[in-house]
Amino acid sequence: MTNKHNDSLLRFMTCGSVDDGKSTLIGRLLYDTKTILTDTLSNIERTSSKRGMEAVDLSLLTDGLQAEREQGITIDVAYRYFSTGTRKYIIADAPGHEQYTRNMVTAASTANLAIILIDARRGVLTQTRRHSYLAHLVGIPHIVVAVNKMDLVNYDQVVYEKIKADYIAFASEIGLAQARDIKFLPLSALNGDMLVDRLDNMDWYQGETLLEILEDVPAAHSEQAEAFRFPVQFVCRPHDSANPELHDFRGFMGRVESGDIAVGDAVTVLPNGYQSKVKAIQLGNEQLQSAQTEQSVTLLLEDEIDTSRGDMIVKTAEVIEPVKQIEAHVCWLSETPLSTARTYIVRHTSRESKAKIGSIQYKVDVNTLEQQATADLKMNDIARVSFKLAQPLMVDSYDKNRATGAFIVIDESSNNTVGAGMIV
């Protein structure tokens, strides 16, 4: 297997209920890629033998999270890190229950791949449908449907093929099959079949193992050309009277959210529409000729332009129209319900605007995926909402650009984040 994405980072998430073997899957991945510290391994070996188990119970590696569940503490997403010789990984371990929908949406928003676990004995469940819908909603481009616990159905190919057919039928219903790259594989997390090593129990499956799939998934932002988007975070005007070079220095600092930029490129500053060219790109004290997605840099322009935090620099050939009304899928995060009478703050990249709710078109029942009429939103609800804005925002649809297509909703009085939105 050749890895085309050496040293690139892959963020992925695991979705599954407590009994689907999620903890064992993560534990097995860490164990088989030899990324467990020796003392941790000897600890779980000791605990496993105390419990009378012959083999090491790899689910103990995620016991911290299970202890939180048992004690009823607020569940948050657990992140785990591992690396192979060729790639680094961040696993977001999201709780699967319906009451933790908001946590799953948070974890999924940065993931580039989702592993949806299905218990081979139980097939496609309501929970599978909910996880798949949420993965589709937040724009995860790659889905791996892992049919786990194949050892408990005697590694039967017929069982696997039936689950695969059921899932494809459901995925076609919600538009997931058409819009996303979906791969299927049978595995046994407990025994390690098809995770890192193939083993000999499923010779009928000729596809890639889970680790081979993870190694070969394209890195974020690498699959299609993206428009250059640079929200200005800070205007740098050094006040150093002793250094004449800095008297007229005016740098625009921020992060390249998508696309790339080079010295000499024609740019437009939004929302005011001023045009200029890139004179220099700086990274600390270093001069760059170009900057790529996710680099934090300082841009210097050839002309003196009135620009402040919250403005967006784009290439002149890729200008977008600032808007004062947006429509979005919103996941409500707050225990206080959304009120259409209130004013909220929408924070989009580095820009904020006061906003009123225009309308709530419908909310989605995440179990049946049915669209329902509603007048308000409660915690974990997902709905299609339109907002009227006091200030113009420079937005892309979330499908095209996850950075400039996303925003959060803030409560004016408490300053709490109460909603997360994905622009349609």
Side-chain angles (χ1 to χ4, degrees):
M1 177 187 63
T2 58
N3 187 297
K4 305 180 282 294
H5 311 288
N6 282 8
D7 296 329
S8 65
L9 172 69
L10 177 69
R11 294 172 182 270
F12 70 95
M13 70 177 295
T14 53
C15 321
S17 65
V18 183
D19 304 323
D20 286 343
K22 193 157 55 88
S23 301
T24 308
L25 175 95
I26 294 169
R28 172 63 69 182
L29 261 181
L30 298 174
Y31 181 77
D32 284 359
T33 53
K34 299 180 173 51
T35 44
I36 304 174
L37 296 172
T38 317
D39 56 343
T40 311
L41 186 56
S42 48
N43 269 340
I44 65 167
E45 281 171 347
R46 246 193 328 273
T47 312
S48 301
S49 61
K50 269 184 200 164
R51 292 183 180 180
M53 296 175 174
E54 288 177 22
V56 177
D57 181 3
L58 294 169
S59 68
L60 293 171
L61 285 166
T62 56
D63 243 12
L65 189 63
Q66 286 174 351
E68 285 181 9
R69 281 200 190 107
E70 285 158 11
Q71 291 167 43
I73 303 168
T74 307
I75 300 279
D76 206 352
V77 178
Y79 291 97
R80 289 180 174 74
Y81 306 86
F82 75 100
S83 62
T84 58
T86 49
R87 198 169 202 180
K88 298 184 182 76
Y89 298 90
I90 299 177
I91 312 173
D93 181 11
H97 296 305
E98 189 181 345
Q99 66 264 37
Y100 305 127
T101 297
R102 60 180 185 167
N103 306 59
M104 187 177 161
V105 168
T106 308
S109 63
T110 55
N112 209 42
L113 177 143
I115 298 173
I116 293 174
L117 274 170
I118 297 177
D119 185 329
R121 299 166 303 170
R122 292 151 71 193
V124 176
L125 303 174
T126 303
Q127 198 138 313
T128 316
R129 295 167 69 91
R130 184 171 77 249
H131 294 158
S132 303
Y133 171 72
L134 292 173
H136 182 37
L137 181 76
V138 298
I140 298 177
H142 301 279
I143 308 285
V144 175
V145 180
V147 182
N148 191 24
K149 303 197 178 182
M150 288 299 293
D151 50 309
L152 298 181
V153 293
N154 297 319
Y155 299 103
D156 188 345
Q157 184 177 2
V158 175
V159 173
Y160 167 71
E161 295 294 348
K162 182 182 184 308
I163 291 172
K164 183 176 172 181
D166 289 350
Y167 189 90
I168 289 171
F170 149 71
S172 301
E173 272 175 49
I174 64 167
L176 180 68
Q178 299 85 328
R180 301 285 181 264
D181 163 44
I182 305 179
K183 287 188 165 75
F184 294 84
L185 87 155
L187 54 85
S188 164
L190 184 68
N191 299 332
D193 296 271
M194 293 298 165
L195 269 84
V196 175
D197 304 311
R198 299 190 72 83
L199 304 187
D200 302 323
N201 295 309
M202 289 182 279
D203 291 339
W204 46 265
Y205 172 74
Q206 296 301 311
E208 296 174 294
T209 64
L210 180 60
L211 188 64
E212 284 171 345
I213 291 171
L214 297 177
E215 293 274 284
D216 281 343
V217 165
H221 306 288
S222 68
E223 293 181 81
Q224 59 191 44
E226 294 179 324
F228 174 68
R229 301 287 184 254
F230 186 83
V232 176
Q233 292 184 21
F234 183 71
V235 180
C236 181
R237 297 295 306 273
H239 298 291
D240 185 357
S241 53
N243 188 343
E245 279 183 26
L246 296 180
H247 287 181
D248 298 317
F249 185 95
R250 188 181 178 83
F252 304 113
M253 305 174 88
R255 181 178 123 120
V256 181
E257 292 295 354
S258 62
D260 52 60
I261 192 75
V263 173
D265 284 352
V267 293
T268 300
V269 180
L270 299 174
N272 51 35
Y274 296 138
Q275 295 188 1
S276 185
K277 285 189 173 176
V278 178
K279 182 168 76 174
I281 303 171
Q282 296 182 352
L283 179 57
N285 294 322
E286 191 185 340
Q287 298 288 335
L288 305 179
Q289 283 307 302
S290 63
Q292 320 297 325
T293 305
E294 295 186 354
Q295 271 190 303
S296 294
V297 294
T298 303
L299 297 185
L300 280 73
L301 304 183
E302 288 183 356
D303 304 280
E304 280 285 331
I305 286 179
D306 178 23
T307 302
S308 55
R309 175 180 168 83
D311 289 355
M312 189 180 286
I313 300 175
V314 302
K315 285 183 180 173
T316 302
E318 300 167 343
V319 167
I320 41 175
E321 196 65 41
V323 294
K324 291 184 82 169
Q325 184 157 343
I326 53 174
E327 236 180 71
H329 288 113
V330 171
C331 176
W332 199 248
L333 311 175
S334 171
E335 290 167 13
T336 309
L338 173 143
S339 162
T340 50
R342 292 189 56 185
T343 302
Y344 292 96
I345 294 169
V346 164
R347 180 179 293 161
H348 172 265
T349 63
S350 56
R351 192 176 181 84
E352 287 185 359
S353 170
K354 289 193 175 185
K356 296 283 281 184
I357 308 299
S359 64
I360 304 173
Q361 292 183 26
Y362 56 82
K363 77 169 180 180
V364 177
D365 180 319
V366 289
N367 292 320
T368 63
L369 308 184
E370 180 192 349
Q371 296 177 0
Q372 302 169 338
T374 185
D376 64 1
L377 296 183
K378 297 181 177 64
M379 187 166 79
N380 292 317
D381 279 351
I382 289 173
R384 183 154 172 164
V385 181
S386 69
F387 292 86
K388 293 176 178 170
L389 308 166
Q391 301 292 325
L393 297 181
M394 288 64 73
V395 304
D396 293 289
S397 72
Y398 187 80
D399 261 357
K400 282 189 185 162
N401 193 318
R402 286 170 87 179
T404 54
F407 62 90
I408 57 172
V409 184
I410 297 169
D411 183 306
E412 265 195 312
S413 51
S414 66
N415 213 29
N416 288 339
T417 301
V418 292
M422 291 142 282
I423 295 164
V424 178

